[in-house]
Amino acid sequence: MEIQRIPFTTREAWFAARSHDVTASVAGALLGVHEHTTAFGLWALKSGLLAEDPTESKPARRGRLLEDDALQVLAEDRPDWTVTPGGNEYLRAPALRIGGTPDAYALAPDRSGRGIVQVKTTSDFVFRKKWRDEDGELVLPLWIACQAIVEAKLTGASWASVALLVVGHGLDLHVVDVPLHEGIWHRLVGEAKLFWERVASGEAPAADYARDGEAIADLWPPDAAADTLDLSGDNLLPALLDEREAISARVKADEKRLAEIKAEITAKLAGATAAELADGRVITRTLQSRAEHTVKASTFPVLRVRAPRKAAA
């Protein structure tokens, strides 16, 4: 497998180097296991229909700034390991159009060959919620395992680990080994081939309406010049509109009931800022200040459904 190594010194150069590939960080989307990215959203991005947001998210910024700290903790916790930062180098397999940027490489006395280390950071709250199973055992998300497997393949590593830095009152590091399953790699290669064929043909993968709403809205903003569509042959839309109306009615009823409950609780507190219940729960009602702020002008689409026009008598 031919591997290209592309050095970069700026974030813009890194974006440019990876723009033509499915990168390790989103490869799990091809298998439908990525936490943040879907195959449809990735297709829209790589098709040039949507632009990658250049703004660094808060979790991404945290991960970038704490990466060196995580590797330092790893060196302290595993003093027999030789850990080397990955450096500013993007690796890609041009024939597969798959690429990645390893965080670090490692040598360990009890393991043969060189390994890659994928650094992740999270808060202690998210760690308890998403990284532990019902028995409290640490479970590696599948999309992160896919990322480590891709980076191991691109670098020719013989093993891979994820170094998870949990940020709370302290810094706790968890090292999780990732089995390099050949089956997952071959499936990713096959899905990547199909993905790029779809990009070339313009055939979108199925959208996940529970997760792709924002991408869909960005792809199709309202066009005032467009003709009115004839969807009279769509048998699903009437049922969808009926369901939408029923849910809206339930939401309004629930909001009304919530307002009634709030009023009744407020009356029972009679001005007190706290009250204890027999089951141990505590109700508080205190004043909260909100800083003055100005809402910027914005334009956004509004979806409405108009009732059919009555036929003339």
Side-chain angles (χ1 to χ4, degrees), residues 200-243:
S201 67
E203 177 192 354
D208 182 344
Y209 294 121
R211 304 176 63 198
D212 286 320
E214 185 174 345
I216 290 171
D218 290 341
L219 276 175
W220 291 292
D223 182 0
D227 295 332
T228 300
L229 286 178
D230 181 6
L231 295 177
S232 58
D234 192 313
N235 296 324
L236 180 60
L237 265 177
L240 287 176
L241 294 180
D242 291 344
E243 183 181 6

Side-chain angles (χ1 to χ4, degrees), residues 33-83:
V33 298
H34 203 283
E35 183 178 2
H36 309 293
T37 304
T38 66
F40 177 85
L42 187 62
W43 172 87
L45 179 66
K46 297 301 181 179
S47 297
L49 302 176
L50 296 178
E52 190 165 6
D53 188 356
T55 305
E56 189 175 31
S57 66
K58 290 182 179 180
R61 183 169 185 262
R62 177 191 64 201
R64 175 174 58 83
L65 294 177
L66 292 178
E67 182 175 311
D68 290 342
D69 298 292
L71 293 179
Q72 182 177 344
V73 176
L74 176 62
E76 293 177 358
D77 289 358
R78 303 287 175 100
D80 55 339
W81 285 24
T82 301
V83 180

Side-chain angles (χ1 to χ4, degrees), residues 239-260:
L240 287 176
L241 294 180
D242 291 344
E243 183 181 6
R244 177 176 180 268
E245 184 177 353
I247 292 174
S248 295
R250 290 200 303 270
V251 169
K252 290 179 180 178
D254 288 343
E255 289 176 343
K256 180 182 178 182
R257 180 56 184 153
L258 280 174
E260 293 172 354

Side-chain angles (χ1 to χ4, degrees), residues 81 104 106 111-112 114-118 140 144-145 147-153 155 157-163 175-180:
W81 285 24
R111 307 181 187 205
S112 61
R114 185 177 70 161
I116 63 102
V117 178
Q118 174 57 229
L140 184 69
I144 296 177
Q147 181 177 4
I149 290 171
V150 169
E151 291 180 354
K153 280 294 181 180
T155 60
S158 57
W159 56 274
S161 291
V162 172
V175 179
V176 186
D177 292 332
V178 181
L180 301 182

